[in-house]
């Protein structure tokens, strides 16, 4: 099982999450490549794909959309299983903080109606590194747990 973890990022927070997911998949004996979405030229040869990008100023980054457009050009026999994640809110003050980013994520995925992900996840995000004070509500346990579930879905480890 060959997996590509690809991501778009504005300030590096999504890179960190993509690296954590790739590392966790590797821990489960998955064969994983990781690349920034802007560097991906060919999706052929991958059995599974994990795509991530933040919601930034209300939109999903264009490099991630480009990956999903590439997917739509592959025939059904060449299309990998796809899991998608996004980073959204940077404040955990109330459950409502998650509603707008979820709607924005759903709207972004709605631009690719033929895409049916095997899994999708919305995680908390982080402010740019130079912002002070910096908010960071990325839940590393939730991220690792999602990667564990992907390893099962992708067939790297057996379900119990």
């Amino acid at each position: 099982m060959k997996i590509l973890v690809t991501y778009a990022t504005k300030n590096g927070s999504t890179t960190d999450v993509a690296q954590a997911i790739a590392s966790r998949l590797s821990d489960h004996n998955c064969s994983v490549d990781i690349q920034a979405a802007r560097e991906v030229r060919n999706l052929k040869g991958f059995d599974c794909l994990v795509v991530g990008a933040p919601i930034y100023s209300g939109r999903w980054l264009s490099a991630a959309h480009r990956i999903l457009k590439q997917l739509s050009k592959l025939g059904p026999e060449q299309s990998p299983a796809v899991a998608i994640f996004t980073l959204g809110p940077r404040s955990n003050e109330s459950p409502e903080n998650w509603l707008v980013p979820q709607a924005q994520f759903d709207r972004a995925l709605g631009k690719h109606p033929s895409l049916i992900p095997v899994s999708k996840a919305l995680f908390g995000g982080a402010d740019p590194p130079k912002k002070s004070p910096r908010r960071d509500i990325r839940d590393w346990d939730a991220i690792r747990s999602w990667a564990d579930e992907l390893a099962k879905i992708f067939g790297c480890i057996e379900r119990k």
Side-chain angles (χ1 to χ4, degrees):
M1 201 56 60
K2 185 126 170 110
I3 302 169
L4 174 63
V5 176
T6 185
Y7 58 92
T9 192
K10 186 96 173 156
N11 294 300
S13 297
T14 310
T15 304
D16 298 341
V17 173
Q19 289 171 338
I21 290 168
S23 176
R24 192 66 168 207
L25 290 170
S26 292
D27 289 347
H28 290 298
N29 297 317
C30 298
S31 173
V32 182
D33 287 351
I34 183 169
Q35 290 182 36
R38 69 180 181 277
E39 297 171 1
V40 174
R41 299 293 173 247
N42 190 353
L43 297 174
K44 291 181 182 175
F46 292 101
D47 302 298
C48 307
L49 180 64
V50 179
V51 181
I55 297 291
Y56 195 84
S57 297
R59 294 191 168 94
W60 217 45
L61 295 183
S62 61
H65 279 294
R66 186 180 61 76
I67 294 293
L68 299 185
K69 286 178 188 173
Q70 280 183 307
L71 271 174
S72 69
K73 294 177 183 175
L74 295 176
E77 67 284 342
Q78 294 176 324
S79 288
V82 180
I84 302 173
F85 73 92
T86 194
L87 302 187
R90 291 174 282 175
S91 173
N92 224 359
E93 294 169 5
S94 73
E96 288 78 30
N97 287 13
W98 293 82
L99 297 177
V100 171
Q102 182 63 60
Q104 293 166 336
F105 185 36
D106 292 341
R107 188 171 48 250
L109 295 182
K111 293 180 180 184
H112 308 279
S114 64
L115 177 68
I116 301 171
V118 297
S119 184
K120 60 183 184 175
L122 168 64
F123 301 115
D127 285 330
K130 293 182 181 178
K131 185 170 181 177
S132 182
R134 184 175 192 228
R135 297 171 296 176
D136 184 344
I137 64 164
R138 292 174 292 177
D139 182 338
W140 296 104
D141 289 336
I143 291 163
R144 285 187 292 271
S145 179
W146 189 65
D148 292 344
E149 185 60 30
L150 292 182
K152 292 175 189 173
I153 291 169
F154 293 158
C156 300
I157 58 175
E158 291 185 27
R159 291 180 179 270
K160 291 184 180 181

